[in-house]
Amino acid sequence: MRDLHRPCLRLILGDQLNPQHSWFHAVQPDVIYVLMEVRSETDYVLHHAQKVLGLFAAMRDFAQQLKVNGHRVRYISIDHASNRQDVVMNLDALVQHHKVNAVEYQAPDEWRLDQDLRNWVPPSPVTVSMVDSEHFFTERDEAQQLFLGKKQWLMENFYRHQRRRHQILLTPDGKPEGGQWNFDADNRKSWPGQPAEPADTRPCHDHSALWKIIESAGVKTLGESQATTFRWPVNRTEALQQLDHFIERGLPHFGDYQDALSQHSWRLFHSLLSFALNTKMLNPREVVMRAQTAWQEGHVPLHAAEGFIRQILGWREYVRGMYWAHMPRYTTSNQLAHTRPLPHWFWNGQTQMACVASALGQSLTQGYAHHIQRLMVIGNFALLAGLDPQELHRWYLGIYIDAFEWVEAPNTLGMSQWADGGLLATKPYVSSAAYIHRMGDHCKTCHYDVKARTSDDACPFNALYWDFFDRHRSHFQTNPRLGVVYHQLKRMPEQTLQELKSFSVRTLSNLENL
Ligand code: FAD
Ligand code: SF4
């Protein structure tokens, strides 16, 4: 038992709202839990209003629950007079004020905070220790160990390792259920409008009072706050309801329409669980187990369960491993030397490209876009247009409700922009308009002509696509996965290529007006 007059301070970061953490199993009167709303966290990039609001609302809810359960809690709100607006500066003050003898914190997920806390020198002698966040399937360095000495980290190898290690979707003799590890080929349908997308049953909160506090504190944000009808879960109970609803209504069709795009549905059959997962209200194990059970009970087809599980057991853990293995240099990578500034319409969604306008528009209104919008619409355009990957990284890190650097940076800089030189993606994720046309319905009503390549109304994706592969020959022409592309380029008459390249130059010089 520690000395009640020399308590232990336990720091809970805004994305560590896990009520099941072993810290909370017993009430300890000599422990003070501390949560803080600080400007150093609201201001390191320009965040979406719903992201700031959602995090603060969830932190406040979490603190309240801890108090109800009998724990001692110190909550430093954004407008509190004692708030020094920085995590370690607040810790300095708390250590002195409470005459603390120990400070404990859960492993931060972001390199920035990890460094701040590791390098922190407390104002008086106290024991500082870090404990596991008890959230992920893997250790921070597990992927790095698995891929030791390998030039490229194949996600598929990591995923199979994870399936075996955690005994997910395996037959009793250790083979993949259904005879295949991956059913991706079955998950590429466009959505014909039926079955109907699941109803939005997320909670609806009025957080206008909190929003006023955030605004009065001078926090700058982007996008709509929707404070009076706030729809993201702010505690575990709400997150679990959302999980139930997804397993029941979304998961059965997740596989089929995982890669689809539609102007008539903003989320299709995606789970909307990333905010609850990344703030640790939900544990990835329980989400994976629920999907596996739904398949075992015959409620969902195997390709749906496998496709969904792969995102969480595979991709989510894999990108985290990539992040920790390559930080801090990862976030400065720019292998293709792209430097073009983001056009202004990234901040208002006003472009005539229907697919891009729709993805940007809903990002601004909802703080959310599904994976294919992020990767094959916004990211695709950005890479083809040679937009500055660092500026884009800051944009992605700010705009999405689920954006935390450990998961956002590998997805943006690695998967989407190939800025890491192909560590993560074996080939760049780019396409011409044909792919967007095949997977969605935006082209039907677009200002641009999806099939045209160099006429005045030609879809910008087409010429940019060929120009991209032509100007980056040194990086990609020997890539076996791009053999078909370079074969087509080789067969293309020189005049055609020059026309496409001239059109591409004109398009890029007119970027602001597309
Ligand atoms: P679903 O499609 O229902 O998938 C279920 C879950 O799987 C997600 O909640 C998420 O936890 C996980 N998942 C799916 N794909 C990935 C992936 N590629 N990497 C890691 N986890 C994945 N995801 C974030 O959580 N935060 C980000 O900041 C983020 N930034 C991204 C930026 C770009 C450029 C791209 C291409 C992808 C990004 N992703 C990010 C991954 C993915 O797009 C989101 O996880 C997903 O869209 C969240 O919506 P959902 O919960 O409805 O996901
Ligand atoms: Fe997007 Fe081009 Fe289709 Fe328009 S025509 S929706 S810009 S792919």
Side-chain angles (χ1 to χ4, degrees), residues 351-357 377 381 431-437 441-451 457-462:
T351 158
Q352 298 175 98
M353 293 183 284
C355 55
V356 181
V377 178
F381 182 85
S431 78
S432 66
Y435 174 86
I436 296 173
H437 186 41
D441 48 20
H442 297 88
C443 303
K444 288 182 209 153
T445 53
C446 185
H447 165 82
Y448 293 105
D449 180 344
V450 58
K451 297 226 168 90
D457 63 348
C459 168
F461 279 87
N462 292 329

PDB file of all heavy atoms in Angstrom, residues 351-357 377 381 431-437 441-451 457-462, ligand 2:
ATOM      1  N   THR A 351     -15.176  21.017 -55.929  1.00  0.00           N
ATOM      2  CA  THR A 351     -14.543  20.698 -57.206  1.00  0.00           C
ATOM      3  C   THR A 351     -15.622  20.079 -58.092  1.00  0.00           C
ATOM      4  O   THR A 351     -16.598  19.517 -57.575  1.00  0.00           O
ATOM      5  CB  THR A 351     -13.364  19.720 -57.031  1.00  0.00           C
ATOM      6  OG1 THR A 351     -13.130  19.051 -58.278  1.00  0.00           O
ATOM      7  CG2 THR A 351     -13.621  18.665 -55.967  1.00  0.00           C
ATOM      8  N   GLN A 352     -15.397  20.173 -59.399  1.00  0.00           N
ATOM      9  CA  GLN A 352     -16.397  19.607 -60.325  1.00  0.00           C
ATOM     10  C   GLN A 352     -16.216  18.106 -60.521  1.00  0.00           C
ATOM     11  O   GLN A 352     -17.004  17.474 -61.206  1.00  0.00           O
ATOM     12  CB  GLN A 352     -16.307  20.329 -61.668  1.00  0.00           C
ATOM     13  CG  GLN A 352     -16.613  21.810 -61.531  1.00  0.00           C
ATOM     14  CD  GLN A 352     -16.402  22.533 -62.837  1.00  0.00           C
ATOM     15  OE1 GLN A 352     -17.359  22.775 -63.568  1.00  0.00           O
ATOM     16  NE2 GLN A 352     -15.160  22.858 -63.147  1.00  0.00           N
ATOM     17  N   MET A 353     -15.161  17.552 -59.975  1.00  0.00           N
ATOM     18  CA  MET A 353     -14.965  16.096 -60.071  1.00  0.00           C
ATOM     19  C   MET A 353     -15.921  15.464 -59.057  1.00  0.00           C
ATOM     20  O   MET A 353     -15.723  15.553 -57.843  1.00  0.00           O
ATOM     21  CB  MET A 353     -13.517  15.734 -59.730  1.00  0.00           C
ATOM     22  CG  MET A 353     -12.513  16.254 -60.751  1.00  0.00           C
ATOM     23  SD  MET A 353     -10.830  15.750 -60.373  1.00  0.00           S
ATOM     24  CE  MET A 353     -10.409  16.827 -59.035  1.00  0.00           C
ATOM     25  N   ALA A 354     -16.965  14.816 -59.559  1.00  0.00           N
ATOM     26  CA  ALA A 354     -18.048  14.360 -58.669  1.00  0.00           C
ATOM     27  C   ALA A 354     -17.552  13.392 -57.597  1.00  0.00           C
ATOM     28  O   ALA A 354     -17.961  13.481 -56.431  1.00  0.00           O
ATOM     29  CB  ALA A 354     -19.151  13.720 -59.495  1.00  0.00           C
ATOM     30  N   CYS A 355     -16.689  12.468 -57.971  1.00  0.00           N
ATOM     31  CA  CYS A 355     -16.235  11.471 -56.988  1.00  0.00           C
ATOM     32  C   CYS A 355     -15.434  12.156 -55.880  1.00  0.00           C
ATOM     33  O   CYS A 355     -15.599  11.849 -54.688  1.00  0.00           O
ATOM     34  CB  CYS A 355     -15.404  10.388 -57.672  1.00  0.00           C
ATOM     35  SG  CYS A 355     -13.997  11.016 -58.608  1.00  0.00           S
ATOM     36  N   VAL A 356     -14.581  13.101 -56.266  1.00  0.00           N
ATOM     37  CA  VAL A 356     -13.736  13.785 -55.282  1.00  0.00           C
ATOM     38  C   VAL A 356     -14.586  14.713 -54.417  1.00  0.00           C
ATOM     39  O   VAL A 356     -14.438  14.761 -53.184  1.00  0.00           O
ATOM     40  CB  VAL A 356     -12.595  14.574 -55.981  1.00  0.00           C
ATOM     41  CG1 VAL A 356     -11.702  15.253 -54.965  1.00  0.00           C
ATOM     42  CG2 VAL A 356     -11.767  13.654 -56.871  1.00  0.00           C
ATOM     43  N   ALA A 357     -15.517  15.436 -55.066  1.00  0.00           N
ATOM     44  CA  ALA A 357     -16.374  16.363 -54.313  1.00  0.00           C
ATOM     45  C   ALA A 357     -17.175  15.599 -53.261  1.00  0.00           C
ATOM     46  O   ALA A 357     -17.344  16.049 -52.122  1.00  0.00           O
ATOM     47  CB  ALA A 357     -17.321  17.084 -55.266  1.00  0.00           C
ATOM     48  N   VAL A 377     -10.013   7.477 -54.231  1.00  0.00           N
ATOM     49  CA  VAL A 377     -10.530   8.732 -54.780  1.00  0.00           C
ATOM     50  C   VAL A 377      -9.581   9.868 -54.371  1.00  0.00           C
ATOM     51  O   VAL A 377      -8.809  10.370 -55.184  1.00  0.00           O
ATOM     52  CB  VAL A 377     -11.985   9.004 -54.319  1.00  0.00           C
ATOM     53  CG1 VAL A 377     -12.462  10.330 -54.869  1.00  0.00           C
ATOM     54  CG2 VAL A 377     -12.905   7.878 -54.782  1.00  0.00           C
ATOM     55  N   PHE A 381      -6.165  10.672 -56.492  1.00  0.00           N
ATOM     56  CA  PHE A 381      -6.002  11.957 -57.187  1.00  0.00           C
ATOM     57  C   PHE A 381      -4.729  12.660 -56.710  1.00  0.00           C
ATOM     58  O   PHE A 381      -3.950  13.191 -57.499  1.00  0.00           O
ATOM     59  CB  PHE A 381      -7.221  12.872 -56.965  1.00  0.00           C
ATOM     60  CG  PHE A 381      -7.064  14.155 -57.719  1.00  0.00           C
ATOM     61  CD1 PHE A 381      -7.430  14.224 -59.055  1.00  0.00           C
ATOM     62  CD2 PHE A 381      -6.491  15.264 -57.118  1.00  0.00           C
ATOM     63  CE1 PHE A 381      -7.219  15.389 -59.784  1.00  0.00           C
ATOM     64  CE2 PHE A 381      -6.276  16.432 -57.840  1.00  0.00           C
ATOM     65  CZ  PHE A 381      -6.650  16.495 -59.172  1.00  0.00           C
ATOM     66  N   SER A 431      -5.320   4.729 -60.173  1.00  0.00           N
ATOM     67  CA  SER A 431      -6.128   4.192 -61.272  1.00  0.00           C
ATOM     68  C   SER A 431      -6.555   5.342 -62.159  1.00  0.00           C
ATOM     69  O   SER A 431      -6.548   6.502 -61.747  1.00  0.00           O
ATOM     70  CB  SER A 431      -7.376   3.503 -60.718  1.00  0.00           C
ATOM     71  OG  SER A 431      -8.330   4.478 -60.349  1.00  0.00           O
ATOM     72  N   SER A 432      -6.956   4.980 -63.360  1.00  0.00           N
ATOM     73  CA  SER A 432      -7.587   5.976 -64.228  1.00  0.00           C
ATOM     74  C   SER A 432      -9.065   6.032 -63.830  1.00  0.00           C
ATOM     75  O   SER A 432      -9.490   5.358 -62.878  1.00  0.00           O
ATOM     76  CB  SER A 432      -7.442   5.570 -65.696  1.00  0.00           C
ATOM     77  OG  SER A 432      -8.188   4.396 -65.902  1.00  0.00           O
ATOM     78  N   ALA A 433      -9.860   6.786 -64.586  1.00  0.00           N
ATOM     79  CA  ALA A 433     -11.288   6.925 -64.249  1.00  0.00           C
ATOM     80  C   ALA A 433     -12.037   5.604 -64.388  1.00  0.00           C
ATOM     81  O   ALA A 433     -13.075   5.410 -63.752  1.00  0.00           O
ATOM     82  CB  ALA A 433     -11.918   7.978 -65.148  1.00  0.00           C
ATOM     83  N   ALA A 434     -11.510   4.676 -65.188  1.00  0.00           N
ATOM     84  CA  ALA A 434     -12.237   3.428 -65.451  1.00  0.00           C
ATOM     85  C   ALA A 434     -12.553   2.689 -64.146  1.00  0.00           C
ATOM     86  O   ALA A 434     -13.654   2.167 -63.966  1.00  0.00           O
ATOM     87  CB  ALA A 434     -11.426   2.547 -66.388  1.00  0.00           C
ATOM     88  N   TYR A 435     -11.593   2.665 -63.235  1.00  0.00           N
ATOM     89  CA  TYR A 435     -11.809   1.949 -61.962  1.00  0.00           C
ATOM     90  C   TYR A 435     -12.927   2.612 -61.153  1.00  0.00           C
ATOM     91  O   TYR A 435     -13.831   1.946 -60.647  1.00  0.00           O
ATOM     92  CB  TYR A 435     -10.498   1.940 -61.149  1.00  0.00           C
ATOM     93  CG  TYR A 435     -10.659   1.362 -59.759  1.00  0.00           C
ATOM     94  CD1 TYR A 435     -10.555   0.000 -59.538  1.00  0.00           C
ATOM     95  CD2 TYR A 435     -10.962   2.192 -58.666  1.00  0.00           C
ATOM     96  CE1 TYR A 435     -10.737  -0.539 -58.271  1.00  0.00           C
ATOM     97  CE2 TYR A 435     -11.140   1.666 -57.398  1.00  0.00           C
ATOM     98  CZ  TYR A 435     -11.024   0.303 -57.205  1.00  0.00           C
ATOM     99  OH  TYR A 435     -11.215  -0.220 -55.960  1.00  0.00           O
ATOM    100  N   ILE A 436     -12.886   3.927 -61.069  1.00  0.00           N
ATOM    101  CA  ILE A 436     -13.892   4.653 -60.273  1.00  0.00           C
ATOM    102  C   ILE A 436     -15.277   4.476 -60.911  1.00  0.00           C
ATOM    103  O   ILE A 436     -16.283   4.305 -60.226  1.00  0.00           O
ATOM    104  CB  ILE A 436     -13.496   6.150 -60.150  1.00  0.00           C
ATOM    105  CG1 ILE A 436     -12.177   6.249 -59.360  1.00  0.00           C
ATOM    106  CG2 ILE A 436     -14.597   6.975 -59.473  1.00  0.00           C
ATOM    107  CD1 ILE A 436     -11.576   7.634 -59.299  1.00  0.00           C
ATOM    108  N   HIS A 437     -15.292   4.428 -62.232  1.00  0.00           N
ATOM    109  CA  HIS A 437     -16.535   4.204 -62.971  1.00  0.00           C
ATOM    110  C   HIS A 437     -17.077   2.800 -62.688  1.00  0.00           C
ATOM    111  O   HIS A 437     -18.275   2.600 -62.454  1.00  0.00           O
ATOM    112  CB  HIS A 437     -16.247   4.376 -64.465  1.00  0.00           C
ATOM    113  CG  HIS A 437     -17.454   4.310 -65.321  1.00  0.00           C
ATOM    114  ND1 HIS A 437     -18.649   4.889 -64.991  1.00  0.00           N
ATOM    115  CD2 HIS A 437     -17.668   3.710 -66.522  1.00  0.00           C
ATOM    116  CE1 HIS A 437     -19.536   4.671 -65.926  1.00  0.00           C
ATOM    117  NE2 HIS A 437     -18.967   3.942 -66.861  1.00  0.00           N
ATOM    118  N   ASP A 441     -20.943   5.080 -58.894  1.00  0.00           N
ATOM    119  CA  ASP A 441     -21.948   5.674 -59.779  1.00  0.00           C
ATOM    120  C   ASP A 441     -21.759   7.181 -59.962  1.00  0.00           C
ATOM    121  O   ASP A 441     -22.631   7.844 -60.503  1.00  0.00           O
ATOM    122  CB  ASP A 441     -23.353   5.384 -59.212  1.00  0.00           C
ATOM    123  CG  ASP A 441     -23.454   5.709 -57.721  1.00  0.00           C
ATOM    124  OD1 ASP A 441     -22.604   6.483 -57.225  1.00  0.00           O
ATOM    125  OD2 ASP A 441     -24.354   5.190 -57.050  1.00  0.00           O
ATOM    126  N   HIS A 442     -20.620   7.709 -59.505  1.00  0.00           N
ATOM    127  CA  HIS A 442     -20.431   9.160 -59.600  1.00  0.00           C
ATOM    128  C   HIS A 442     -20.264   9.650 -61.038  1.00  0.00           C
ATOM    129  O   HIS A 442     -20.664  10.774 -61.361  1.00  0.00           O
ATOM    130  CB  HIS A 442     -19.202   9.597 -58.793  1.00  0.00           C
ATOM    131  CG  HIS A 442     -19.320   9.339 -57.332  1.00  0.00           C
ATOM    132  ND1 HIS A 442     -18.948   8.150 -56.752  1.00  0.00           N
ATOM    133  CD2 HIS A 442     -19.780  10.110 -56.328  1.00  0.00           C
ATOM    134  CE1 HIS A 442     -19.174   8.197 -55.459  1.00  0.00           C
ATOM    135  NE2 HIS A 442     -19.678   9.374 -55.171  1.00  0.00           N
ATOM    136  N   CYS A 443     -19.656   8.823 -61.877  1.00  0.00           N
ATOM    137  CA  CYS A 443     -19.310   9.301 -63.225  1.00  0.00           C
ATOM    138  C   CYS A 443     -20.559   9.660 -64.040  1.00  0.00           C
ATOM    139  O   CYS A 443     -20.497  10.530 -64.907  1.00  0.00           O
ATOM    140  CB  CYS A 443     -18.488   8.247 -63.959  1.00  0.00           C
ATOM    141  SG  CYS A 443     -16.992   7.802 -63.066  1.00  0.00           S
ATOM    142  N   LYS A 444     -21.676   8.990 -63.720  1.00  0.00           N
ATOM    143  CA  LYS A 444     -22.906   9.233 -64.493  1.00  0.00           C
ATOM    144  C   LYS A 444     -23.344  10.685 -64.445  1.00  0.00           C
ATOM    145  O   LYS A 444     -23.911  11.210 -65.392  1.00  0.00           O
ATOM    146  CB  LYS A 444     -24.056   8.378 -63.925  1.00  0.00           C
ATOM    147  CG  LYS A 444     -23.926   6.910 -64.211  1.00  0.00           C
ATOM    148  CD  LYS A 444     -25.155   6.202 -63.641  1.00  0.00           C
ATOM    149  CE  LYS A 444     -24.799   4.793 -63.252  1.00  0.00           C
ATOM    150  NZ  LYS A 444     -25.618   4.249 -62.193  1.00  0.00           N
ATOM    151  N   THR A 445     -23.109  11.324 -63.310  1.00  0.00           N
ATOM    152  CA  THR A 445     -23.603  12.692 -63.160  1.00  0.00           C
ATOM    153  C   THR A 445     -22.461  13.717 -63.113  1.00  0.00           C
ATOM    154  O   THR A 445     -22.678  14.875 -62.773  1.00  0.00           O
ATOM    155  CB  THR A 445     -24.413  12.817 -61.851  1.00  0.00           C
ATOM    156  OG1 THR A 445     -23.593  12.344 -60.793  1.00  0.00           O
ATOM    157  CG2 THR A 445     -25.702  12.026 -61.916  1.00  0.00           C
ATOM    158  N   CYS A 446     -21.277  13.279 -63.468  1.00  0.00           N
ATOM    159  CA  CYS A 446     -20.113  14.179 -63.313  1.00  0.00           C
ATOM    160  C   CYS A 446     -20.036  15.194 -64.448  1.00  0.00           C
ATOM    161  O   CYS A 446     -20.442  14.931 -65.579  1.00  0.00           O
ATOM    162  CB  CYS A 446     -18.846  13.325 -63.286  1.00  0.00           C
ATOM    163  SG  CYS A 446     -17.356  14.281 -62.955  1.00  0.00           S
ATOM    164  N   HIS A 447     -19.470  16.332 -64.145  1.00  0.00           N
ATOM    165  CA  HIS A 447     -19.189  17.369 -65.129  1.00  0.00           C
ATOM    166  C   HIS A 447     -18.227  16.843 -66.201  1.00  0.00           C
ATOM    167  O   HIS A 447     -18.284  17.236 -67.360  1.00  0.00           O
ATOM    168  CB  HIS A 447     -18.569  18.557 -64.379  1.00  0.00           C
ATOM    169  CG  HIS A 447     -17.911  19.569 -65.235  1.00  0.00           C
ATOM    170  ND1 HIS A 447     -18.613  20.557 -65.873  1.00  0.00           N
ATOM    171  CD2 HIS A 447     -16.604  19.746 -65.576  1.00  0.00           C
ATOM    172  CE1 HIS A 447     -17.769  21.317 -66.554  1.00  0.00           C
ATOM    173  NE2 HIS A 447     -16.548  20.840 -66.397  1.00  0.00           N
ATOM    174  N   TYR A 448     -17.338  15.939 -65.789  1.00  0.00           N
ATOM    175  CA  TYR A 448     -16.309  15.448 -66.725  1.00  0.00           C
ATOM    176  C   TYR A 448     -16.765  14.162 -67.415  1.00  0.00           C
ATOM    177  O   TYR A 448     -17.575  13.402 -66.893  1.00  0.00           O
ATOM    178  CB  TYR A 448     -15.003  15.190 -65.957  1.00  0.00           C
ATOM    179  CG  TYR A 448     -14.381  16.469 -65.440  1.00  0.00           C
ATOM    180  CD1 TYR A 448     -14.461  16.804 -64.090  1.00  0.00           C
ATOM    181  CD2 TYR A 448     -13.743  17.350 -66.304  1.00  0.00           C
ATOM    182  CE1 TYR A 448     -13.911  17.983 -63.614  1.00  0.00           C
ATOM    183  CE2 TYR A 448     -13.180  18.530 -65.840  1.00  0.00           C
ATOM    184  CZ  TYR A 448     -13.274  18.849 -64.498  1.00  0.00           C
ATOM    185  OH  TYR A 448     -12.725  20.014 -64.033  1.00  0.00           O
ATOM    186  N   ASP A 449     -16.148  13.924 -68.561  1.00  0.00           N
ATOM    187  CA  ASP A 449     -16.460  12.723 -69.349  1.00  0.00           C
ATOM    188  C   ASP A 449     -15.482  11.621 -68.928  1.00  0.00           C
ATOM    189  O   ASP A 449     -14.267  11.729 -69.131  1.00  0.00           O
ATOM    190  CB  ASP A 449     -16.317  13.073 -70.845  1.00  0.00           C
ATOM    191  CG  ASP A 449     -16.631  11.881 -71.742  1.00  0.00           C
ATOM    192  OD1 ASP A 449     -16.658  10.735 -71.243  1.00  0.00           O
ATOM    193  OD2 ASP A 449     -16.819  12.106 -72.957  1.00  0.00           O
ATOM    194  N   VAL A 450     -16.041  10.551 -68.390  1.00  0.00           N
ATOM    195  CA  VAL A 450     -15.213   9.492 -67.819  1.00  0.00           C
ATOM    196  C   VAL A 450     -14.332   8.801 -68.859  1.00  0.00           C
ATOM    197  O   VAL A 450     -13.214   8.363 -68.561  1.00  0.00           O
ATOM    198  CB  VAL A 450     -16.113   8.468 -67.068  1.00  0.00           C
ATOM    199  CG1 VAL A 450     -17.161   7.851 -67.973  1.00  0.00           C
ATOM    200  CG2 VAL A 450     -15.293   7.380 -66.408  1.00  0.00           C
ATOM    201  N   LYS A 451     -14.807   8.746 -70.094  1.00  0.00           N
ATOM    202  CA  LYS A 451     -14.045   8.000 -71.112  1.00  0.00           C
ATOM    203  C   LYS A 451     -13.045   8.883 -71.867  1.00  0.00           C
ATOM    204  O   LYS A 451     -12.079   8.395 -72.432  1.00  0.00           O
ATOM    205  CB  LYS A 451     -15.020   7.373 -72.117  1.00  0.00           C
ATOM    206  CG  LYS A 451     -15.961   6.355 -71.472  1.00  0.00           C
ATOM    207  CD  LYS A 451     -16.061   5.096 -72.290  1.00  0.00           C
ATOM    208  CE  LYS A 451     -16.734   3.984 -71.528  1.00  0.00           C
ATOM    209  NZ  LYS A 451     -18.176   3.940 -71.706  1.00  0.00           N
ATOM    210  N   ASP A 457     -13.531  18.446 -71.792  1.00  0.00           N
ATOM    211  CA  ASP A 457     -14.289  17.928 -70.645  1.00  0.00           C
ATOM    212  C   ASP A 457     -13.773  16.557 -70.180  1.00  0.00           C
ATOM    213  O   ASP A 457     -14.459  15.835 -69.469  1.00  0.00           O
ATOM    214  CB  ASP A 457     -15.781  17.830 -70.998  1.00  0.00           C
ATOM    215  CG  ASP A 457     -16.026  16.848 -72.137  1.00  0.00           C
ATOM    216  OD1 ASP A 457     -15.028  16.444 -72.786  1.00  0.00           O
ATOM    217  OD2 ASP A 457     -17.187  16.463 -72.363  1.00  0.00           O
ATOM    218  N   ALA A 458     -12.565  16.212 -70.577  1.00  0.00           N
ATOM    219  CA  ALA A 458     -12.049  14.877 -70.221  1.00  0.00           C
ATOM    220  C   ALA A 458     -11.823  14.754 -68.716  1.00  0.00           C
ATOM    221  O   ALA A 458     -11.386  15.704 -68.056  1.00  0.00           O
ATOM    222  CB  ALA A 458     -10.734  14.626 -70.948  1.00  0.00           C
ATOM    223  N   CYS A 459     -12.107  13.558 -68.189  1.00  0.00           N
ATOM    224  CA  CYS A 459     -11.873  13.326 -66.759  1.00  0.00           C
ATOM    225  C   CYS A 459     -10.381  13.462 -66.457  1.00  0.00           C
ATOM    226  O   CYS A 459      -9.552  12.799 -67.088  1.00  0.00           O
ATOM    227  CB  CYS A 459     -12.340  11.912 -66.385  1.00  0.00           C
ATOM    228  SG  CYS A 459     -11.773  11.454 -64.744  1.00  0.00           S
ATOM    229  N   PRO A 460     -10.024  14.304 -65.477  1.00  0.00           N
ATOM    230  CA  PRO A 460      -8.607  14.549 -65.193  1.00  0.00           C
ATOM    231  C   PRO A 460      -7.829  13.287 -64.820  1.00  0.00           C
ATOM    232  O   PRO A 460      -6.624  13.202 -65.037  1.00  0.00           O
ATOM    233  CB  PRO A 460      -8.641  15.527 -64.013  1.00  0.00           C
ATOM    234  CG  PRO A 460      -9.987  16.172 -64.076  1.00  0.00           C
ATOM    235  CD  PRO A 460     -10.910  15.151 -64.660  1.00  0.00           C
ATOM    236  N   PHE A 461      -8.513  12.285 -64.243  1.00  0.00           N
ATOM    237  CA  PHE A 461      -7.796  11.082 -63.805  1.00  0.00           C
ATOM    238  C   PHE A 461      -7.087  10.387 -64.979  1.00  0.00           C
ATOM    239  O   PHE A 461      -6.052   9.764 -64.788  1.00  0.00           O
ATOM    240  CB  PHE A 461      -8.774  10.086 -63.160  1.00  0.00           C
ATOM    241  CG  PHE A 461      -9.105  10.393 -61.716  1.00  0.00           C
ATOM    242  CD1 PHE A 461     -10.141  11.257 -61.395  1.00  0.00           C
ATOM    243  CD2 PHE A 461      -8.386   9.805 -60.680  1.00  0.00           C
ATOM    244  CE1 PHE A 461     -10.459  11.529 -60.075  1.00  0.00           C
ATOM    245  CE2 PHE A 461      -8.696  10.069 -59.352  1.00  0.00           C
ATOM    246  CZ  PHE A 461      -9.739  10.932 -59.044  1.00  0.00           C
ATOM    247  N   ASN A 462      -7.687  10.470 -66.193  1.00  0.00           N
ATOM    248  CA  ASN A 462      -7.159   9.659 -67.297  1.00  0.00           C
ATOM    249  C   ASN A 462      -5.768  10.091 -67.755  1.00  0.00           C
ATOM    250  O   ASN A 462      -4.834   9.286 -67.759  1.00  0.00           O
ATOM    251  CB  ASN A 462      -8.148   9.691 -68.465  1.00  0.00           C
ATOM    252  CG  ASN A 462      -9.429   8.961 -68.091  1.00  0.00           C
ATOM    253  OD1 ASN A 462      -9.384   8.012 -67.306  1.00  0.00           O
ATOM    254  ND2 ASN A 462     -10.557   9.386 -68.631  1.00  0.00           N
TER     255      ASN A 462
HETATM  256 FE1  SF4 B   2     -14.493  11.089 -60.893  1.00  0.00          FE
HETATM  257 FE2  SF4 B   2     -13.683  11.282 -63.452  1.00  0.00          FE
HETATM  258 FE3  SF4 B   2     -15.806   9.829 -62.827  1.00  0.00          FE
HETATM  259 FE4  SF4 B   2     -15.910  12.473 -62.658  1.00  0.00          FE
HETATM  260  S1  SF4 B   2     -15.632  11.250 -64.507  1.00  0.00           S
HETATM  261  S2  SF4 B   2     -16.701  11.040 -61.162  1.00  0.00           S
HETATM  262  S3  SF4 B   2     -13.841  12.961 -61.964  1.00  0.00           S
HETATM  263  S4  SF4 B   2     -13.711   9.444 -62.203  1.00  0.00           S
END
